Every structure is written in structure tokens, then in C-alpha cells.
Amino acid sequence: MTALLSDPAGIQSPATARPARTARRRRPKVGRTLLLLLFAAYFFVPLYAAVDFTLGGSRRNMGHTLSVWTGLVHQDGFTTNLMTSLKIAAGTVALLLVLMVPTMAWLHLRLPHMRRFVEGVCLLPMAIPAVVIANGILGAFKSWPQAITGSSWILILEYVILALPFTYRSLDAGLSAIPLTTLVEAARSLGASWPTTLWRVVVPNIRTSIASAGILGAALALGEFTIANLLLLNTFPIWTDQAGQQDGEVATTASMLILFLSWLLLMLVSHLGRGRRARKSAKSDPKSDKPDKTDNLGSAQ
């Protein structure tokens, strides 16, 4: 029996080779698990330290308290600057999507050979320093009315440019994942105009990508500091920096609040995307091998 399991020439029998293969399969799982734990520690340990600092557990030795969190709304300038940043974020997302969704759809339909060039242009804000962008926009808009150059509108225009890389990537992935040409030609053959086709066929099929682009743009507008500081405009990050010079707990608590708000919005988008895919799967007949071709065009008819 031993001779059957072990070959004197060094060739392993199937019975001995199976545990070796199993061990080799387990090694990558162990490596992935360690890598995952390392990344989790990299992200969550600083978050835990920041939250613990805002709760006072690391300094007072008196237990944790929510007094800093509950008293945040009573700080001078907190509500005003937070509302300003929320308005800037809403304006940035609205202008960004109004400009980019039709442009990206037209690019995929009529100018696919220009996608690389447009992608390079959209990625430029990641390579150009924020100081250069701020000075360039101030020079370009110096002849415009003070109501634009001295207000939040100038920040909205700058944040739209800064959010172009994330918006392009998100919308490009969404449009590449659907049969865009077939859907648009089918809608147009049914008599739908281009705006109707865009609103009732293209947008519903890439709503998850649109939501992702909007959330990333809003997160950028809520957390941007350098350009707002150069333009001497008061936003929530500027208020957080000024508050941090007087009270570190208040500044850290405000930063955590914006971080958790952005995180909550991202989780909401992810949940909505999974819910939409689940509803589409439930509508399709599991016994039928044919895909439901009327699902994408139903809203255009």
C-alpha cells in the first residue's frame, strides 16, 4: 500500500499530489487575506484615531462624550459655511452632468475615434497644480462681472474642471457597458427626438454611472481647500481650517462629518445600483434564455 502512494523515482502519486495542490491553493487566499487586513488597517486605524479624538477618549480619561458633535451646530459660522459648500456642490454636480452627459453620449455615437483625445484633455486637471488652475481661471474671467468672479460661481466653474477626470471615467464606463448605438437607433426609428432619446433611453441606462459621477463631484466640491483659499472665499473647508487653529477637536469633528456624509452618499449610490440590478433580474424570466430586449426601450415608446 505504501508503494502505491510513494514512487521511488520521486514521482508523486495522485493521493500525495492532491494535498500539495490544496496547500498551493490556500497560499494565495492567505496572502489575499493578509493584504486585505493590511489595507483595512491602513484605512480604518486613522479613522478610529480621529473619531476617538473627537470623542475625547484619548485625552480626558473621563470616558467618551458626544459634546463636541452635538455642539458643532452652535459654532460660529458652521451652518453658514456648510450651506455655502452644499450649494457649491449642488451647482457643481448640476453643471457637470448637464455638460458631460450629452457630450459623452455624442462622443460615443458620432466621434468614437476622438475618445482618447478627449480623455487626455479631461485628465489634465490631475496633472496641473491647483494654483496654476486658479490663476488661469482668474486671468480668463478677469473681465467678467464681480458677481461671478467674486462669488461662489467662480468656484463652481473651477470645480467642474477639477471633476472632469472622475466624471469622464464614470460616464465612459457606463456608456461602454450598454449597446448605445442600438438603443439610440431603435428610439430614433420609433420617432423619438434626440433630447427625448437622451432623457428616456440613455440616462436611465447609465443612471448608476451618473450617480457615481455626481457623488464624486460633490465630494470634491465639499472637501476642496486650496483654490477656495487662494480666491479668499469662505467655504466649509476654510472654516474647518480656521476652527482648527483654535480647537482641534472641532476641526476634526467637522472633517469627520463631511467624510461620513460623503461615505453615506456613496453607500446609497451602491445600494441603489444593486437594487436596480435585482429588479431587472426579477423581471426577466429565469426559464427563458432570451434577454429582455424591451426593458431598455420601454421608456422611449
Side-chain angles (χ1 to χ4, degrees), residues 102-220:
T103 302
M104 290 298 297
W106 185 261
L107 189 66
H108 275 252
L109 287 171
R110 298 289 184 262
L111 302 171
H113 59 282
M114 296 289 290
R115 286 172 58 186
R116 293 297 181 189
F117 173 75
V118 176
E119 181 182 7
V121 173
C122 291
L123 292 178
L124 282 178
M126 298 184 70
I128 300 176
V131 178
V132 177
I133 295 177
N135 291 327
I137 289 184
L138 282 178
F141 289 91
K142 63 180 180 181
S143 61
W144 285 48
Q146 184 68 21
I148 294 179
T149 58
S151 66
S152 300
W153 283 103
I154 191 69
L155 284 181
I156 292 176
L157 296 175
E158 297 211 25
Y159 292 163
V160 166
I161 295 175
L162 291 180
L164 281 179
F166 315 108
T167 307
Y168 178 89
R169 289 291 188 185
S170 181
L171 295 180
D172 184 67
L175 291 171
S176 299
I178 63 172
L180 180 63
T181 303
T182 303
L183 293 174
V184 171
E185 288 180 353
R188 297 284 288 170
S189 66
L190 292 174
S193 62
W194 168 246
T196 303
T197 303
L198 182 67
W199 180 250
R200 304 188 65 177
V201 176
V202 178
V203 170
N205 281 283
I206 60 170
R207 65 179 66 179
T208 303
S209 298
I210 292 175
S212 300
I215 292 300
L216 291 174
L220 185 145

Side-chain angles (χ1 to χ4, degrees), residues 22-165:
T22 304
R24 284 196 296 270
R25 286 195 205 102
R26 287 177 179 173
R27 285 197 201 102
K29 291 183 179 178
V30 174
R32 286 195 294 266
T33 303
L34 291 176
L35 190 62
L36 182 62
L37 291 176
L38 182 62
F39 275 103
Y42 180 80
F43 282 105
F44 287 106
V45 169
L47 286 178
Y48 170 77
V51 173
D52 186 69
F53 177 70
T54 62
L55 298 177
S58 60
R59 290 196 302 143
R60 300 192 186 107
N61 294 324
M62 297 173 56
H64 294 82
T65 175
L66 292 173
S67 59
V68 181
W69 287 83
T70 56
L72 199 60
V73 295
H74 302 295
Q75 296 289 330
D76 292 336
F78 172 81
T79 306
T80 303
N81 288 283
L82 179 60
M83 293 304 297
T84 300
S85 288
L86 290 176
K87 290 177 183 177
I88 292 174
T92 300
V93 171
L95 183 59
L96 189 66
L97 295 181
V98 167
L99 290 176
M100 288 300 292
V101 171
T103 302
M104 290 298 297
W106 185 261
L107 189 66
H108 275 252
L109 287 171
R110 298 289 184 262
L111 302 171
H113 59 282
M114 296 289 290
R115 286 172 58 186
R116 293 297 181 189
F117 173 75
V118 176
E119 181 182 7
V121 173
C122 291
L123 292 178
L124 282 178
M126 298 184 70
I128 300 176
V131 178
V132 177
I133 295 177
N135 291 327
I137 289 184
L138 282 178
F141 289 91
K142 63 180 180 181
S143 61
W144 285 48
Q146 184 68 21
I148 294 179
T149 58
S151 66
S152 300
W153 283 103
I154 191 69
L155 284 181
I156 292 176
L157 296 175
E158 297 211 25
Y159 292 163
V160 166
I161 295 175
L162 291 180
L164 281 179

